[in-house]
Every structure is written in structure tokens, then in C-alpha cells.
Amino acid sequence: MRQFSNLPGKTYYIKTFGCQMNLHDSERVAGVLDDCGCIEVATPEEADIVIYMTCSVRENADTHLYGVASAMVSAPKPPCGRRVVAVGGCIAQRDGEQLRKRIPNVDVVFGTSALAAVPKLISDAFDDAPGTLEVDIAEGDRGFSTDLPSHRAQAFHAWVPIMTGCNNFCTYCIVPYVRGREKSRVMERIVEECSRLVDDGVREITLLGQNVNSYGRDLYGRPRFAELLRQVGETGISRIRFTSSNPKDLSADVISAMAETPAVMPHLHLAVQSGSTRILKAMHRSYTREQYLRLVGDLRTAMPDIALSTDIIVGFPGETEEDFQQTLSIVREARFSSAFTFIYSKRPGTPAAKIEDDTPREVIQNRFDRLADLVAQQAHEANAPFMGQTVESLVEGPSKRDASVMVGHSPRNQTVLFDLPQGMCAEDYVGKFVNVLVSEPRTWYLRGEPVGEAR
């Protein structure tokens, strides 16, 4: 246990915004606080320490953070009499001590490389006079967060970062500026970690990186993600997923490794962002519409049952109706089973933020609505053929809306629901594989009845 005399017994609450990398970072922050004798609680109101792990990709994340963090000023005092509010992650890295202007009650600000420093920062904040701000956003080589203890949210699932940073510098994206350039972990260390997780009972691993397809280029002189997939598949793990994949680096050997490694799930999230080659060039995405569609064809040839999901930005500066029609067209041709759709959000400090655009907001909103309708239609069409079929679900837990309904995901990453059978409890299913006979294929989920025993 780390020695900070004022931390043992303190309660903490962590709220995470944004991507899977932020979720992993939150688990590491929770791990180092556990190691100091702190205790996790379910709500911010009952916590001595409130931490917000932030995302700076879209403007609404900033707005949400400012609201919830500032609201803690009026929250009842915790048992220890003083509450420390900390902000970490990408917004913290970007804004540093300037966050105090928007969140006057913030006590600690820590960047994306400063997770190991969190206990000391918080300990110092408790000792500081009111109004003092503890900040650590120093960059440079401070090791990987994977060297820190982890408090996993799910015993059966683990996030495993294989690299940090990004070299792509898409014109709309702030990530390279707040997480730095690509830095890969040594392959042997990743495989060893995965083997330990399997021994610990983990059933599913998600490999993380801003662009996993370029994994290893900085260490080995060439990407080695295909080799990594095969080696992780040999650890005995039941399911492997990974994110994110940039189409420009998705190679034939990676596609072969996906098809030939049984543990790799038949689902790929492959962000297209736009269907217009002109807009893709303005985004600095480094591939064309035609190249993306060829990749889709290669993937479906290697894995006919693969489910593809994507990210799409509507309203990038200069987008015309013709460009948008190209986006609708690529959604149809690629047959995405789901998509995360966003209206372009200007991020200060990115090249795209300097591009002037006079497209009326109502035009952009209309395009967004039309795209959302098409995505929903295709999601329903993708799920409809599963009527009467049995799908394997890795059960994650009870639904937040109804504790009698269990929630899991299929190999194709479909959400799968089933009612708890009479006489059974949630613990009988959580973290186990259950075959579900589908009776209701809906737009965003499959629902059915469990058949056979959980395993």
C-alpha cells in the first residue's frame, strides 16, 4: 500500500467521459487509489474525492464536464469535511491550470501521462490551503499506465493498451496534441499481460490504441499488429476485440490474422468519417472512398459474416449536398450494422478550426437526421435475419432499466437481452457465455430466451 497518511479510508468516485482509452485510464486511477487505502463509492455526493476523466474530441464533452464538476460546489460536504475535485484526461492535458477559469472549484488537474502521480496530487490537495491548485500535465516518457495497479470494472473483461498516441493528425482531431505521438509497448509484455488476465478468469480482452493497425512501427520499424493478434489468440483468451482501426493502415496480413485467429470476434469498427474523397482529403484521412470500399470487400471475402461499424462526421467545413450524398451512398454500399454519427465540432488548436464555413445549421441538422434514419434502417436489416437463431452472448450484468433483464454482447457485438429465468439470479450468468434463442430482433438489440446452461 502506498504511504499517504491522509488518504487511507477516503472515499472516491470516478466519472468517465469519452473513449475506451479513458475507461482504461479510469481503471488505473481507481487501482492506484485502492492501493492507497481509498474506498470506491457509487455517487459523487458521498465521495471525499471526485475525479472526472475527460474527453476533448467534441465540444459537448467540455460543456458536460463544466456542468457536473461545478455542481459539486453545492453538494453536501462529505464525512471527512473536505471534498477534493480532480480533472484528468484529455481536457486536463489540453487546458491545464486554465481549467480553473471554467471550474472554480477544481483542486487537482492531471494530464494523460500523469496517472501515477494522482495519489500525491490528491494528498497534497487535502493538505493545501483552500483555493490552491495542484497541476501535473508534464509530457515526456513516463512509462505506460499498464505498469500501475488496475481496478477493473468487470472481472471477465479487460482493456489492454498496446500503444499510446497518434501520428495521423486528422485536421479535425485534437488527440495527437493531448496524447502525443505513437509509442508502442513491447510485444512480449502485452502477451504476458494477456496470459495473466486469462489466468485471472478474464474471458474477453479489448486491445486499445488510437490506431492499432500501426502498432509496432516505432519499435520494430514496421507494423506488427497481425503478429500480435495471433500471439494473443494463443493465450487461451475466449474473445479478442480491438479499437481503433484507421483504414489507411489496415493491411492484408491483419485481415488474414483476423480471419485465421478463432478468438478474434467477427466485428470491426472501421471509421470512415465521410464518403466523399474530397472531404476525406480535407480531413487528412489518407485514403479515398474507393480504397475504403475495397477494404470492405477484402474483409467480407475473408470473413463473410463480419459485422462492420463506423464513425461518420456530418457538416465538416465545406461539405456540400453532393459530398453528403456520397456519405449516404457509402453507408449503403458498406452495409454497416451500426454507426456513431456526429455533427462536426470545431476543436480549438486543430487545422480544421481555421476553416470558415457558412453552411446553415438547419441544413447540417437535416443531413444528420437523414443519415441517422438510414443507419437505423440498416441496423434493423442487419439484425432481422437473426430471428429464430441462437447466438452466443457474453453476459455483462443486469440492465440499468430493469434488473430482471440480463445484457450481453454477441460475437458480432450485437446487444443481447434475455429475462432472468424463474429461480435464477444475476450472479448465475454474469461473466459467462449463454446461448440465446432470438425471438425479437430489434433495431439496436436482439432479445430472446436462454437455452442450455451458462458456461
Side-chain angles (χ1 to χ4, degrees):
M1 182 177 292
R2 297 189 180 194
Q3 298 303 311
F4 294 98
S5 60
N6 58 353
L7 291 186
K10 292 285 197 306
T11 55
Y12 72 89
Y13 171 86
I14 301 177
K15 171 70 174 178
T16 308
F17 301 86
C19 69
Q20 291 92 337
M21 190 66 79
N22 279 8
L23 291 170
H24 165 265
D25 288 351
S26 292
E27 292 185 350
R28 297 294 173 174
V29 170
V32 296
L33 291 178
D34 290 347
D35 205 36
C36 294
C38 298
I39 303 165
E40 185 180 29
V41 292
T43 66
E45 290 76 16
E46 58 188 311
D48 304 314
I49 304 162
V50 176
I51 300 176
Y52 298 102
M53 296 297 292
T54 64
C55 171
S56 60
V57 172
R58 309 200 186 281
E59 185 178 6
N60 61 357
D62 293 51
T63 304
H64 191 187
L65 166 68
Y66 301 148
V68 296
S70 299
M72 293 310 299
V73 170
S74 57
K77 294 296 182 185
C80 79
R82 165 102 189 269
R83 177 178 289 113
V84 165
V85 175
V87 177
C90 293
I91 290 179
Q93 185 70 49
R94 183 194 69 193
D95 294 349
E97 62 185 18
Q98 298 302 311
L99 266 176
R100 176 61 69 82
K101 295 180 180 179
R102 299 298 300 268
I103 311 173
N105 58 313
V106 67
D107 303 294
V108 171
V109 176
F110 60 96
T112 55
S113 300
L115 305 189
V118 169
K120 184 178 187 307
L121 292 168
I122 291 175
S123 176
D124 290 347
F126 276 113
D127 289 339
D128 288 339
T132 305
L133 182 64
E134 295 287 340
V135 180
D136 185 346
I137 57 170
E139 299 180 9
D141 188 358
R142 302 174 73 170
F144 286 96
S145 60
T146 48
D147 296 328
L148 302 174
S150 179
H151 175 140
R152 295 201 312 273
Q154 298 169 319
F156 55 89
H157 174 270
W159 309 105
V160 178
I162 65 173
M163 61 194 300
T164 60
C166 183
N167 291 353
N168 291 319
F169 290 91
C170 300
T171 58
Y172 55 83
C173 185
I174 196 71
V175 169
Y177 305 96
V178 294
R179 288 200 176 265
R181 303 299 290 271
E182 288 178 358
K183 182 182 176 185
S184 301
R185 295 176 64 197
V186 173
M187 185 178 298
E188 289 76 11
R189 295 289 301 275
I190 298 170
V191 177
E192 288 169 4
E193 180 181 358
C194 292
S195 293
R196 289 195 303 270
L197 290 167
V198 171
D199 292 341
D200 195 36
V202 170
R203 316 293 296 276
E204 179 177 277
I205 285 171
T206 302
L207 304 176
L208 294 178
Q210 299 301 330
N211 179 18
V212 293
N213 296 320
S214 64
Y215 164 78
R217 182 181 281 125
D218 58 312
L219 276 183
Y220 307 113
R222 62 181 178 84
R224 294 180 64 184
F225 185 56
E227 183 180 347
L228 178 64
L229 278 180
R230 294 181 189 275
Q231 289 201 26
V232 174
E234 293 173 358
T235 63
I237 189 67
S238 298
R239 288 185 173 188
I240 300 171
R241 300 189 189 275
F242 55 88
T243 192
S244 297
S245 282
N246 191 307
K248 78 179 183 65
D249 293 311
L250 182 59
S251 60
D253 61 339
V254 170
I255 294 174
S256 295
M258 292 171 61
E260 296 165 8
T261 305
V264 174
M265 293 293 95
H267 167 258
L268 178 63
H269 187 80
L270 192 64
V272 66
Q273 304 300 4
S274 174
S276 162
T277 295
R278 187 182 74 86
I279 295 297
L280 289 172
K281 183 177 181 180
M283 291 176 168
H284 193 226
R285 288 294 286 174
S286 301
Y287 55 86
T288 65
R289 167 195 179 86
E290 291 74 22
Q291 288 169 330
Y292 186 94
L293 287 172
R294 278 198 295 272
L295 277 177
V296 169
D298 293 343
L299 286 160
R300 295 201 185 280
T301 297
M303 294 164 283
D305 294 332
I306 193 170
L308 297 176
S309 57
T310 197
D311 294 333
I312 301 172
I313 296 172
V314 176
F316 186 81
E319 180 188 70
T320 65
E321 178 63 22
E322 181 180 354
D323 293 319
F324 178 68
Q325 287 296 329
Q326 290 288 298
T327 294
L328 294 180
S329 172
I330 206 169
V331 170
R332 296 187 187 99
E333 291 184 52
R335 307 198 316 273
F336 296 119
S337 59
S338 64
F340 294 98
T341 56
F342 310 93
I343 290 177
Y344 169 73
S345 178
K346 182 183 292 189
R347 298 283 75 197
T350 62
K354 302 174 184 177
I355 304 174
E356 295 298 326
D357 184 59
D358 58 1
T359 306
R361 178 70 181 191
E362 58 268 25
V363 170
I364 295 174
Q365 183 64 55
N366 176 265
R367 290 174 185 166
F368 179 84
D369 293 342
R370 287 151 61 196
L371 175 62
D373 288 344
L374 177 60
V375 168
Q377 174 189 328
Q378 291 196 179
H380 181 76
E381 291 171 356
N383 279 345
F386 286 85
M387 176 66 184
Q389 293 194 24
T390 298
V391 298
E392 180 189 76
S393 174
L394 177 56
V395 181
E396 298 165 11
S399 165
K400 294 180 180 179
R401 295 182 178 181
D402 185 345
S404 69
V405 177
M406 302 303 293
V407 181
H409 281 85
S410 74
R412 291 164 53 93
N413 208 38
Q414 298 150 302
T415 300
V416 181
L417 310 180
F418 65 87
D419 293 331
L420 270 175
Q422 189 172 6
M424 304 294 284
C425 60
E427 289 71 23
D428 296 324
Y429 293 101
V430 174
K432 296 181 180 180
F433 293 110
V434 175
N435 289 330
V436 177
L437 179 62
V438 177
S439 56
E440 298 178 48
R442 299 295 183 91
T443 300
W444 305 120
Y445 62 87
L446 305 175
R447 187 164 187 150
E449 301 294 330
V451 294
E453 295 184 358
R455 57 198 189 282

